[in-house]
């Protein structure tokens, strides 16, 4: 691979794509952090590209978890019944800001649906 | 340092406590004394300046739960005095990886974003261990949200040191679990394995680590990383203790629909039945590996460390001597794709699981005034997450975004099928190999130095390349100590078997343990115990 080609490859995640991902991920980064993360993402993509080298028959089923669940090994569904939550106060006590039994958040920006 | 009650096997602790040769409180006192001797300063999120003295200590515990432990130990002793059954784990000191919720304790996931989170409920495996009489001495450090193979990515520093050489990493992500068990700070630890996070640190720290079959142990109360891969499991100092612990934590759970309804055998029952006639396989694909070259990142083929390969072949010889049939050259051709597929599958799942940390209902919230909710989200997550969660979220979004993804995710899931089919062929009872277990190295190298790999996220991920295939396939894997290298560092070998074959893997490992009982390396003790 030529140096230029390699450099192009390393830049698969350009600054613009990276900024879009950061926006989607709801993260705020310092510039130094952004540079490091983008560099690492591009090197990880290089490893991921190994997947392109594998001959995968399109008929190969996907595995979403390794072990198949049969009727015998799948746990039965729980009855659909309401149960009291004894820990409601403990759970509410974890919220960073509350007003009585409400959780307080900053203003939610107004968005017009297209 | 003289050995004490805290160095005994867990089963021996139970025997002594139950026969009232010693009390559960005595065991706890010995354990707390050991922790005081070897632990050093506690890991914290405040700015960290490494000191030379840090590199002589273990630094395993984010939170010591000594009050809870004392109450539990006293309850065991009270039950015994009243003639009641205190449980199968009576008095055993337990360290819980801080990725499990334990009611009333800080449950941090090694992250600033959960630094002050107090869990309102207890994870099923912890609940079962405590109900059986285990004494929870504390919550131990890990890579942030389990994302790493060295424990250096935790927000809580100093990072744990390897008890055999604290200038080296204990592995990860259950690194402090393995370190605590190796140093006698707990007899058992509950870890998790998503790409090797139980087995790799067990190998680095010279202890036993068992990744059960996916679904063998409930994930309820486990702070999720990659939900289709995460497996809680035991870390112990010997095979029998791992068997004892697995028997308690395994089994269906109405609170986790992926906890399989498969009966739990008595793992101790046939433990010493030997290996006569069992078929143990070796695969060239676990001896020659593909790793990124230094600097270029280009993949190149190389052998695993020669001393580790020798330990695997020696273990095969020992088992053959004990009556097993060793099958060479079992092809596992898709092993090399384990890490690339993992980079995709685990990141997509991690990104999804990490969306919940938003500063609203629990955990860290950016404390200063903000313009609106979105800015609060961005600042909270920007400051609450360290580099690893950020990387995983961003990669997860990239490979699953329609406009960028190039079919990576679907392809990775198909590659996962190929990896599982390697195992299916090797274990097929009517196939050419008919293996009861595959024997491989757990890691390509022994423990590396702190700072040697951290920062290079690709190289760090490749530390898991021998362990991750079992996670993709969902099959169980058991890593056991198999000697020391020339630097005196532990070497681990692992047995991989078919779904729900934990009993068989434990039996094979126990046979190896018995056959090598008298070997000189088994007398060696971690350096941290010599210098404390």
């Amino acid at each position: 691979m030529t140096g230029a080609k390699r450099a192009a490859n390393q830049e698969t995640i350009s600054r613009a794509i990276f900024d879009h991902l950061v926006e989607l991920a709801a993260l705020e980064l310092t510039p130094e952090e952004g540079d490091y993360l983008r560099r690492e993402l591009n090197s990880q993509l290089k490893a991921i590209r190994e997947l392109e080298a594998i001959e995968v028959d399109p008929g190969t089923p996907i595995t979403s978890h390794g072990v198949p669940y049969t009727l015998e090994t799948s746990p039965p569904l729980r009855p659909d019944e309401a149960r009291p939550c004894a820990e409601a106060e403990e759970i509410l006590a974890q919220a960073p800001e509350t007003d009585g039994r409400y959780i307080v958040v900053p203003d939610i920006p107004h968005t017009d649906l297209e | 340092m003289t050995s004490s009650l805290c160095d005994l096997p867990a089963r021996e602790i139970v025997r002594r406590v139950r026969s009232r040769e010693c009390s559960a409180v005595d065991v706890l006192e010995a354990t707390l004394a050991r922790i005081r001797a070897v632990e050093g300063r506690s890991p914290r999120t405040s700015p960290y300046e490494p000191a030379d003295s840090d590199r002589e200590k273990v630094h395993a515990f984010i939170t010591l739960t000594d009050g809870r432990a004392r109450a539990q130990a006293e309850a065991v002793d009270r039950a015994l005095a009243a003639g009641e059954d205190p449980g199968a784990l009576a008095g055993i000191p337990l360290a819980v990886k801080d990725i499990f919720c334990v009611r009333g304790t800080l449950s941090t996931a090694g992250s600033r974003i959960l630094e002050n989170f107090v869990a309102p409920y207890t994870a099923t495996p912890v609940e079962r261990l405590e109900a059986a009489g285990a004494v929870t001495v504390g919550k131990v450090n890990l890579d942030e949200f389990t994302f790493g193979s060295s424990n250096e990515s935790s927000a809580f520093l100093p990072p744990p040191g390897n008890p055999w050489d604290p200038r080296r990493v204990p592995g990860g992500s259950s690194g402090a679990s393995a370190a605590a068990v190796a140093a006698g700070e707990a007899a058992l630890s509950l870890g998790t394995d998503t790409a090797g996070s139980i087995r790799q640190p067990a190998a680095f720290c010279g202890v036993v680590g068992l990744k059960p079959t996916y679904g063998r142990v409930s994930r309820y109360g486990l702070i999720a990383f990659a939900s289709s891969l995460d497996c809680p499991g035991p870390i112990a100092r010997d095979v029998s203790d791992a068997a004892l612990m697995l028997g308690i934590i395994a089994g269906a759970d109405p609170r986790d629909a992926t906890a399989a309804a498969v009966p739990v055998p008595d793992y101790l029952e046939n433990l010493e039945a030997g290996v006569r006639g069992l078929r143990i396989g070796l695969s060239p694909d676990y001896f020659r590996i593909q790793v990124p070259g230094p600097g270029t990142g280009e993949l190149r083929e190389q052998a695993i460390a020669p001393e580790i390969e020798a330990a695997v072949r020696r273990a095969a010889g020992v088992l053959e001597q004990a009556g097993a049939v060793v099958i060479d050259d079992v092809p596992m051709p898709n092993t090399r794709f384990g890490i690339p597929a993992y980079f995709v599958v685990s990141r997509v799942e991690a990104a999804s699981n990490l969306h919940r940390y938003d500063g609203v209902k629990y955990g860290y919230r950016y404390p200063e005034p903000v313009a609106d909710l979105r800015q609060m989200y961005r600042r909270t997550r920007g400051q609450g997450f360290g580099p690893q969660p950020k990387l995983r979220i961003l990669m997860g979004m990239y490979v699953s975004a329609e406009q960028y993804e190039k079919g990576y995710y679907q392809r990775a899931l198909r590659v996962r099928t190929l990896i599982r089919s390697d195992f299916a062929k090797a274990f097929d009872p009517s196939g050419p190999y008919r293996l009861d277990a595959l024997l491989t190295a757990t890691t390509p190298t022994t423990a590396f130095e702190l700072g040697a790999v951290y920062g290079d996220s690709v190289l760090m991920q490749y530390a898991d390349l021998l362990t991750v295939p079992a996670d993709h396939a969902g099959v169980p894997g058991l890593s056991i100590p198999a000697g020391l290298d020339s630097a005196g560092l532990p070497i681990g070998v692992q047995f991989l078997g078919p779904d729900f074959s934990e009993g068989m893997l434990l039996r094979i490992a126990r046979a190896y343990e018995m056959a090598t009982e008298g070997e000189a390396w088994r007398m060696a003790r971690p350096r941290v115990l010599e210098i404390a």
Side-chain angles (χ1 to χ4, degrees):
Chain A
M1 193 186 289
T2 66
K5 247 190 179 164
R6 188 181 300 144
N9 252 338
Q10 283 166 352
E11 285 292 299
T12 304
I13 298 181
S14 64
R15 188 165 293 282
I17 293 177
F18 182 77
D19 290 345
H20 179 220
L21 295 172
V22 170
E23 173 67 24
L24 286 176
L27 291 170
E28 190 173 87
L29 306 176
T30 63
E32 300 75 40
E33 215 179 0
D35 289 344
Y36 169 73
L37 295 175
R38 193 161 74 87
R39 193 171 65 241
E40 289 300 309
L41 288 175
N42 278 312
S43 5
Q44 292 184 4
L45 263 189
K46 217 156 144 180
I48 291 173
R49 284 218 192 81
E50 279 300 296
L51 293 174
E52 293 171 13
I54 315 170
E55 275 186 42
V56 186
D57 180 341
T60 306
I62 62 166
T63 293
S64 48
H65 43 70
V67 181
Y69 284 80
T70 63
L71 210 55
E72 290 75 44
T73 62
S74 302
L77 294 176
R78 284 192 309 233
D80 182 15
E81 54 191 23
R83 282 173 300 175
C85 174
E87 304 87 22
E89 294 305 325
E90 264 174 89
I91 292 168
L92 271 172
Q94 296 293 321
E97 194 181 346
T98 50
D99 180 1
R101 291 175 66 83
Y102 290 96
I103 291 173
V104 178
V105 294
D107 283 346
I108 299 171
H110 178 85
T111 314
D112 284 321
L113 291 175
E114 287 170 20
Chain B
M1 185 184 292
T2 54
S3 60
S4 86
L5 282 175
C6 64
D7 295 308
L8 293 173
R11 295 166 334 285
E12 177 62 13
I13 290 173
V14 175
R15 192 195 65 73
R16 291 197 192 182
V17 167
R18 291 180 69 107
S19 65
R20 306 186 73 182
E21 280 174 47
C22 69
S23 70
V25 170
D26 293 338
V27 178
L28 175 63
E29 294 296 356
T31 305
L32 294 174
R34 172 62 55 80
I35 290 171
R36 281 192 297 273
V38 303
E39 183 66 2
R41 63 170 160 154
S42 301
R44 291 290 171 261
T45 58
S46 41
Y48 166 59
E49 283 298 328
D52 285 350
S53 56
D54 289 336
R55 302 284 49 99
E56 292 171 0
K57 299 291 180 183
V58 183
H59 315 287
F61 287 87
I62 291 179
T63 307
L64 267 182
T65 52
D66 37 347
R68 183 187 191 95
R70 193 166 297 279
Q72 288 170 333
E74 286 169 356
V76 166
D77 291 336
R78 261 200 317 277
L80 280 163
E84 295 159 10
D85 184 353
L89 305 184
I92 298 176
L94 168 75
V96 176
K97 185 178 184 181
D98 208 13
I99 198 70
F100 289 96
C101 290
V102 179
R103 187 170 184 180
T105 70
L106 284 172
S107 298
T108 70
S111 181
R112 192 181 291 275
I113 212 159
L114 288 177
E115 183 175 1
N116 297 312
F117 173 64
V118 178
Y121 67 107
T122 297
T124 296
V126 180
E127 196 173 84
R128 289 179 180 173
L129 291 165
E130 291 189 331
V135 170
T136 303
V137 290
K139 309 286 293 291
V140 285
N141 212 343
L142 66 157
D143 282 290
E144 186 174 1
F145 282 101
T146 79
F147 301 162
S149 309
S150 71
N151 251 246
E152 293 162 286
S153 72
S154 176
F156 293 77
L157 300 170
N162 188 316
W164 292 83
D165 177 355
R167 291 164 304 176
R168 292 174 185 269
V169 304
S173 65
S174 313
S177 289
V181 169
E185 298 180 279
L188 298 175
S189 184
L190 180 67
T192 60
D193 194 309
T194 306
S197 282
I198 287 175
R199 289 163 290 155
Q200 185 253 20
F204 278 11
C205 293
V207 295
V208 171
L210 171 55
K211 178 204 103 71
T213 309
Y214 181 78
R216 177 72 292 182
V217 177
S218 168
R219 291 180 295 115
Y220 179 76
L222 161 64
I223 298 171
F225 161 15
S227 306
S228 77
L229 297 153
D230 294 340
C231 289
I235 294 176
R237 281 192 294 268
D238 67 33
V239 171
S240 309
D241 282 357
L244 171 70
M245 181 170 168
L246 180 65
I248 301 294
I249 61 178
D253 175 9
R255 293 173 296 189
D256 176 4
T258 63
V262 174
V264 180
D266 179 346
Y267 293 112
L268 290 164
E269 200 180 1
N270 289 317
L271 199 56
E272 301 191 347
V275 290
R276 186 155 301 282
L278 296 185
R279 295 170 68 86
I280 315 277
L282 296 172
S283 172
D285 299 305
Y286 279 82
F287 289 123
R288 301 230 26 112
I289 53 173
Q290 299 254 331
V291 286
T296 67
E298 301 294 338
L299 287 183
R300 55 177 199 176
E301 192 176 288
Q302 65 178 62
I304 61 170
E307 288 178 294
I308 297 182
E309 172 162 354
V312 175
R313 297 197 185 276
R314 204 165 51 235
V318 164
L319 293 169
E320 199 164 31
Q321 279 284 315
V325 180
V326 173
I327 318 289
D328 282 309
D329 294 330
V330 178
M332 301 292 288
N334 294 293
T335 303
R336 55 180 287 207
F337 302 122
I339 294 295
Y342 182 77
F343 261 126
V344 176
V345 175
S346 70
R347 271 47 174 186
V348 171
E349 295 188 24
S352 166
N353 279 322
L354 290 172
H355 278 310
R356 71 191 67 174
Y357 305 103
D358 57 6
V360 173
K361 296 182 293 299
Y362 52 86
Y364 172 80
R365 178 189 287 192
Y366 178 72
E368 305 297 325
V370 288
D372 61 20
L373 183 67
R374 281 185 194 154
Q375 193 178 43
M376 189 280 280
Y377 287 157
R378 286 196 293 266
R379 297 220 163 140
T380 294
R381 289 160 64 84
Q383 299 197 354
F385 287 134
Q388 274 303 319
K390 286 171 182 163
L391 265 176
R392 293 188 188 216
I393 293 168
L394 293 167
M395 183 53 92
M397 311 218 73
Y398 180 80
V399 292
S400 60
E402 198 181 50
Q403 65 270 49
Y404 307 131
E405 70 117 1
K406 303 183 182 73
Y408 284 134
Y409 185 58
Q410 293 294 324
R411 200 172 178 84
L413 293 178
R414 290 200 165 87
V415 170
R416 216 174 151 179
T417 305
L418 300 180
I419 292 170
R420 184 165 164 89
S421 73
D422 284 353
F423 286 104
K425 282 176 200 150
F427 301 140
D428 181 355
S430 49
Y433 305 107
R434 305 186 303 283
L435 299 185
D436 292 291
L438 185 72
L439 165 61
T440 85
T442 309
T443 56
T445 67
T446 51
F448 43 86
E449 284 185 16
L450 282 155
V453 180
Y454 186 59
D456 183 335
S457 63
V458 175
L459 207 53
M460 187 65 86
Q461 189 68 79
Y462 270 86
D464 298 330
L465 89 172
L466 301 179
T467 46
V468 75
D471 295 276
H472 280 305
V475 300
L478 170 62
S479 177
I480 58 166
L484 301 172
D485 73 3
S486 48
L489 297 169
I491 294 173
V493 300
Q494 65 174 344
F495 297 99
L496 307 173
D499 298 346
F500 301 103
S501 66
E502 289 84 355
M504 175 65 75
L505 301 186
L506 289 160
R507 180 177 144 190
I508 297 168
R510 179 68 190 128
Y512 173 81
E513 218 175 49
M514 289 192 294
T516 56
E517 219 161 36
E519 292 188 4
W521 62 271
R522 289 211 179 267
M523 309 304 141
R525 298 214 308 159
R527 197 168 80 97
V528 78
L529 299 182
E530 307 299 341
I531 59 181

